[in-house]
Amino acid sequence: MNKSSEKVSTYVIVLLVLLMVLIGSVLLAVTIGSVPISIQEVYQIIAHKLFGIGNVEIFSQGPVHDVVWLIRLPRLMLAIIVGISLAVCGVIMQAIVKNPLADPYVLGISSGASLGATFAIMMGVGTMFGTNYVGVCAFLGALGISVLVMLLANVGGRSNSIKLLLAGMALSSVCSSFSSFIVYFANDKEGMQTLTYWMMGSLAGAKWERLEVIYPVILIGVLFFWGQSRTLNLMLLGDEVSITLGTDLNRYRQVYLVVAALMIGFVVYSAGMIGFVGLIIPHLVRMLFGTDHKKIIPLSALTGAIFLVWADVLCRVIIPNTELPIGILISMIGAPCFIYLMIKRSYGFGGATK
Amino acid sequence: MAFLYTREIHEYSPWNNALDYVTYKKGETKMKKMSGLMVMMSMVLSLSACTKNNPVETNSITSEAGEVTLKANSVGPEGEGQKQYPLTIMNYNYSKEKIPVTFEKIPEKVFCLYQNSIETMLALGLEDHILAAAKMDHPVKPEYEEAFSKINYISDFELTKESVIMMQPDFILTWMSPFDEKKLGDVDFWHERSINTYMAPNSNSLEPNKTLENEYRYIMELGEIFGVEDRANEIVNEVKNEVNRVTEATKGQEKKTVMIIEFGKDSMFTYGKTTLGGNMVTALGGELLEGAESTIGLEDLINLNPDVIYVVYMDEAEEGKEAAAINKVLENHALASLTAVKNGSVYGMPLGNMYAAATRMIDGINIFAKGMYPQLY
């Protein structure tokens, strides 16, 4: 009894520390950018915006205000929510398909999104959706494919994690070959260029209006999964075990898949595709804190957010006057860290090796 | 093809990984060192171009035209106020829709991005209105060098909303691509801040057909915005007159068949009728084979067998690029039977002369015309 309460309190402390680190990271990161702005000015503007402190004339307009409040902060807020979303969906996907190699995009979502983006860029589909019509089409593609994967996995008997994975793989190849087909026949190199750039993912398009939509969706999704941590724990034990324990995972799996696809769809819509975070953060957190979903969902969310905030800062400053695509940077930093941890600790996915 | 031209294409090209990207940046510095040499070379080239009766250089234009220039300068952009401000020009947003852009006064702090924007401003004598300029592909034409030395050119410019806002321009003159959501964002963000924008009509995919007319419009509209219509007219007329001269002189002749190609990694791309190059060829009375933009193989080229071939190349300031481009056709034994190869009618064409060309439009026209009708020169 005593021991377990001690464990709970370490977990709570870690959670609080991570939260503080996240807030600190944002406050620090907001002062870093391609244009030098004094730290004092940055905080004056934020303080004015949040608490109405200071002179309205000076702090609510002008170029410095625009840079801090309309460019840097939304971008950081987007980094946070994308990080949360990718990390949590990574955890969920790995549980759904019971496979350590799964990431948020594994069940065809990335190819579905690419196909949507290809349609939008190459054939001008969906221009009525406004300036981010590519994002909207990618969102629809991602969601559509997830639903198809689920239907396909249920054809001819109950779905299980293997069938889901196979259906995901199959539809994924169908989508990517269709994308290639369109790209080849459109013969529009400018479009190809746009497409490649789009698929690399970037947080540069952040806007407050959009964040107002994304935040509620993602946070509700995270809370939902947090509430489902018992079922998620069962998923790691497999279908047979859970049936004997009285839970049929099949239905849960389908609901989780739709919720996760929706969350990732919003990430794709607002930031394109950012790989590796969703794969690495869940493993990292599991290595350090075990496999109980009750703990690793909030921990992954915070770690993912911190990781992405710093990755975004780094990709802006690491090469002067150049913004490195964030996906490249994440893999360059993330992979070695991951390998180090893997060697350092004996780690078994799902099983509680410690 | 055309899009390969811009630097950001290099940045995100599917064929380049991060490593290539870094080496490209290095290459850029190297290019700058070589630029002095290049400028000298291009001066020699343009001098030799001047030996024919048609003027290329602005400072060799006839005395009448010279007076016009003087007059335009003395009246100056702030002139007699014959221009009524606010002045509204139709331009585009990122969704390629036509939108009105209203100028309350002559822009004083212009941010120019890309070669055509910078050179056109200089050609119109507006260097005093340039706040900053960035992203050139090669040195300016020799006649603009002096003016160029007066402007604030930022060689390692990072195109972000942040950097442009802090610059506080009142006018952004560029292509369509910078207004991508991930770069500057759509134009309304800037218009709300009383910063006007102008996208060159022939840039990126704004207009389905890239034409000489669009280039004329580009120069004329800039002339209008800054109240220097006379000078703009001069630049446009120079091109128009040359096109007329060539078509008049070659009336009734049998049409030459022409192809504009560019070598990719292991295939060739053709520039079709919708490109500015294709439009130039057609305007000069040539017949463009393979009118659509497509990828073709050597066999197709042999089958089509055009009279004249233009090989497009980039980075024109780099030494040996033109010869290398031409030699890809000349030194390929499989192509030895082509009419164009036998007659020596294979020419190099710098992409800058036929893509959002503006001030270099005349150079493009001259190269095309000389290739098709060498007897005229």
Side-chain angles (χ1 to χ4, degrees):
Chain A
M1 193 66 212
N2 200 11
K3 203 187 168 196
S4 93
S5 72
E6 199 178 282
K7 252 189 167 175
V8 168
S9 64
T10 15
Y11 156 69
V12 171
I13 288 168
V14 170
L15 212 58
L16 285 177
V17 168
L18 284 178
L19 196 64
M20 307 267 272
V21 171
L22 179 59
I23 294 169
S25 302
V26 171
L27 288 178
L28 198 57
V30 77
T31 62
I32 303 169
S34 51
V35 183
I37 296 176
S38 80
I39 294 173
Q40 192 193 353
E41 249 181 313
V42 171
Y43 290 141
Q44 275 172 341
I45 285 166
I46 295 174
H48 171 75
K49 276 290 184 181
L50 291 180
F51 312 114
I53 304 167
N55 192 331
V56 181
E57 292 291 303
I58 304 170
F59 298 128
S60 64
Q61 58 188 16
V64 181
H65 162 267
D66 288 350
V67 167
V68 173
W69 190 254
L70 297 179
I71 297 170
R72 288 190 189 170
L73 261 185
R75 186 169 175 151
L76 285 168
M77 297 315 271
L78 183 64
I80 291 174
I81 203 69
V82 166
I84 291 178
S85 186
L86 288 174
V88 171
C89 290
V91 172
I92 305 304
M93 285 295 186
Q94 287 171 1
I96 290 178
V97 299
K98 213 187 149 209
N99 190 318
L101 284 177
D103 72 353
Y105 304 111
V106 72
L107 292 183
I109 292 183
S110 61
S111 328
S114 312
L115 185 62
T118 312
F119 267 113
I121 292 169
M122 294 295 186
M123 300 168 81
V125 172
T127 35
M128 66 277 193
F129 294 131
T131 39
N132 196 12
Y133 69 97
V134 181
V136 176
C137 288
F139 172 83
L140 293 175
L143 213 59
I145 280 304
S146 313
V147 173
L148 268 180
V149 165
M150 222 170 59
L151 292 177
L152 199 65
N154 275 304
V155 171
R158 293 160 47 82
S159 76
N160 54 37
S161 48
I162 298 293
K163 276 176 80 180
L164 267 178
L165 266 182
L166 287 177
M169 292 292 265
L171 280 180
S172 181
S173 351
V174 171
C175 284
S176 43
S177 49
F178 266 99
S179 300
S180 310
F181 183 81
I182 294 170
V183 168
Y184 185 79
F185 277 98
N187 215 338
D188 168 8
K189 300 193 117 197
E190 200 159 329
M192 239 153 87
Q193 164 54 35
T194 318
L195 190 65
T196 320
Y197 178 34
W198 186 88
M199 293 211 282
M200 280 182 186
S202 161
L203 298 167
K207 279 182 189 154
W208 285 116
E209 307 91 87
R210 247 175 244 167
L211 290 173
E212 282 164 14
V213 184
I214 298 163
Y215 261 79
V217 173
I218 304 291
L219 291 181
I220 290 171
V222 172
L223 284 177
F224 166 75
F225 283 129
W226 200 17
Q228 299 290 317
S229 41
R230 284 167 145 276
T231 321
L232 286 165
N233 285 344
L234 267 183
M235 278 186 178
L236 292 186
L237 296 175
D239 279 278
E240 288 81 5
V241 179
S242 29
I243 290 255
T244 53
L245 290 173
T247 309
D248 180 7
L249 291 181
N250 198 25
R251 209 178 322 128
Y252 288 105
R253 206 177 267 131
Q254 293 177 8
V255 176
Y256 294 173
L257 192 61
V258 171
V259 178
L262 196 70
M263 288 167 72
I264 292 302
F266 272 96
V267 169
V268 167
Y269 163 73
S270 49
M273 271 174 304
I274 299 175
F276 219 63
V277 183
L279 176 69
I280 230 170
I281 300 291
H283 286 305
L284 191 88
V285 172
R286 270 197 216 99
M287 282 176 202
L288 300 173
F289 302 102
T291 51
D292 181 5
H293 283 86
K294 185 117 208 151
K295 289 178 189 171
I296 59 170
I297 287 179
L299 287 173
S300 302
L302 287 174
T303 320
I306 295 167
F307 186 78
L308 216 59
V309 164
W310 283 109
D312 189 46
V313 169
L314 271 182
C315 78
R316 278 183 289 154
V317 298
I318 206 162
I319 303 177
N321 300 314
T322 310
E323 201 174 302
L324 198 65
I326 191 165
I328 296 177
L329 190 87
I330 284 178
S331 308
M332 285 197 303
I333 309 171
C337 296
F338 182 64
I339 292 167
Y340 172 78
L341 274 174
M342 214 173 64
I343 300 168
K344 198 79 181 172
R345 302 184 152 241
S346 58
Y347 166 62
F349 170 79
T353 330
K354 272 234 155 171
Chain B
M1 290 181 244
F3 76 96
L4 284 170
Y5 190 48
T6 65
R7 198 182 310 150
E8 73 252 54
I9 309 308
H10 288 279
E11 285 175 23
Y12 300 110
S13 157
W15 303 286
N16 287 359
N17 55 25
L19 202 67
D20 288 336
Y21 169 68
V22 175
T23 48
Y24 178 77
K25 278 279 174 187
K26 281 184 192 152
E28 197 180 44
T29 336
K30 193 184 77 194
M31 205 188 97
K32 256 166 234 151
K33 279 183 199 149
M34 293 173 71
S35 63
L37 185 65
M38 294 314 132
V39 168
M40 274 175 62
M41 272 194 52
S42 51
M43 269 164 97
V44 172
L45 280 175
S46 50
L47 275 177
S48 60
C50 273
T51 49
K52 62 185 173 49
N53 55 6
N54 181 58
V56 171
E57 307 268 10
T58 37
N59 39 14
S60 64
I61 40 179
T62 55
S63 59
E64 286 165 31
E67 273 166 34
V68 174
T69 323
L70 272 176
K71 193 172 151 240
N73 281 344
S74 63
V75 170
E78 286 83 20
E80 299 145 21
Q82 78 262 54
K83 266 267 65 77
Q84 286 298 310
Y85 290 89
L87 167 77
T88 301
I89 298 272
M90 293 306 282
N91 199 250
Y92 308 82
N93 63 16
Y94 196 68
S95 312
K96 304 178 197 177
E97 292 156 352
K98 286 235 174 187
I99 51 151
V101 179
T102 303
F103 294 84
E104 299 295 338
K105 59 182 181 60
I106 294 172
E108 290 298 329
K109 296 184 289 176
V110 185
F111 177 48
C112 310
L113 269 173
Y114 302 121
Q115 197 84 23
N116 62 332
S117 314
I118 298 167
E119 283 192 0
T120 310
M121 287 292 285
L122 299 181
L124 293 172
L126 298 167
E127 61 268 21
D128 297 342
H129 294 251
I130 298 178
L131 172 72
K135 300 225 177 203
M136 288 200 305
D137 294 287
H138 30 73
V140 291
K141 287 169 85 170
E143 57 263 43
Y144 310 134
E145 254 177 16
E146 202 194 322
F148 180 74
S149 65
K150 292 181 200 151
I151 70 167
N152 169 26
Y153 180 75
I154 312 170
S155 47
D156 276 322
F157 185 73
E158 185 190 359
L159 186 58
T160 60
K161 248 188 194 179
E162 192 168 319
S163 52
V164 179
I165 284 185
M166 292 306 284
M167 201 182 269
Q168 293 185 270
D170 59 2
F171 184 40
I172 303 172
L173 174 63
T174 180
W175 291 8
M176 174 191 168
S177 53
F179 294 101
D180 182 284
E181 181 160 80
K182 308 263 161 91
K183 291 178 193 154
L184 296 184
D186 209 344
V187 295
D188 45 3
F189 174 86
W190 300 96
H191 295 168
E192 279 163 22
R193 283 159 183 73
S194 314
I195 299 169
N196 280 324
T197 58
Y198 188 99
M199 303 180 193
N202 273 346
S203 68
N204 307 105
S205 54
L206 264 185
E207 288 287 345
N209 288 311
K210 303 188 193 320
T211 59
L212 284 169
E213 284 303 323
N214 286 341
E215 285 302 320
Y216 300 156
R217 175 156 71 93
Y218 172 73
I219 293 169
M220 290 309 292
E221 282 181 347
L222 284 180
E224 209 181 322
I225 292 167
F226 289 93
V228 286
E229 288 97 330
D230 294 343
R231 182 74 193 99
N233 239 324
E234 241 173 73
I235 300 172
V236 169
N237 282 337
E238 189 192 5
V239 182
K240 281 185 176 167
N241 292 342
E242 179 62 8
V243 173
N244 284 340
R245 188 183 75 88
V246 172
T247 43
E248 286 297 320
T250 57
K251 234 180 202 166
Q253 278 186 27
E254 201 187 333
K255 281 199 172 186
K256 288 276 179 77
T257 54
V258 175
M259 279 182 79
I260 312 169
I261 59 173
E262 182 184 318
F263 283 90
K265 221 171 188 173
D266 40 28
S267 53
M268 285 177 286
F269 314 113
T270 61
Y271 282 78
K273 290 195 172 71
T274 61
T275 64
L276 183 59
N279 188 258
M280 285 176 169
V281 167
T282 320
L284 290 168
E287 186 192 342
L288 196 68
L289 295 180
E290 192 64 30
E293 295 238 302
S294 59
T295 310
I296 62 167
L298 289 176
E299 226 171 286
D300 303 301
L301 186 61
I302 294 169
N303 183 36
L304 289 162
N305 194 17
D307 298 326
V308 192
I309 296 176
Y310 298 93
V311 188
V312 175
Y313 63 97
M314 277 157 256
D315 304 323
E316 50 234 55
E318 216 164 296
E319 207 168 355
K321 277 270 181 174
E322 182 176 16
I326 297 172
N327 283 341
K328 277 183 186 161
V329 174
L330 294 184
E331 288 176 1
N332 190 331
H333 296 303
L335 298 176
S337 65
L338 285 178
T339 316
V341 173
K342 281 189 203 149
N343 299 341
S345 300
V346 181
Y347 303 91
M349 172 62 83
L351 182 54
N353 291 354
M354 49 167 266
Y355 186 85
T359 46
R360 291 171 186 248
M361 199 171 15
I362 186 70
D363 306 316
I365 289 288
N366 281 330
I367 295 177
F368 277 127
K370 269 185 215 167
M372 284 192 274
Y373 317 108
Q375 73 276 12
L376 287 183
Y377 292 87

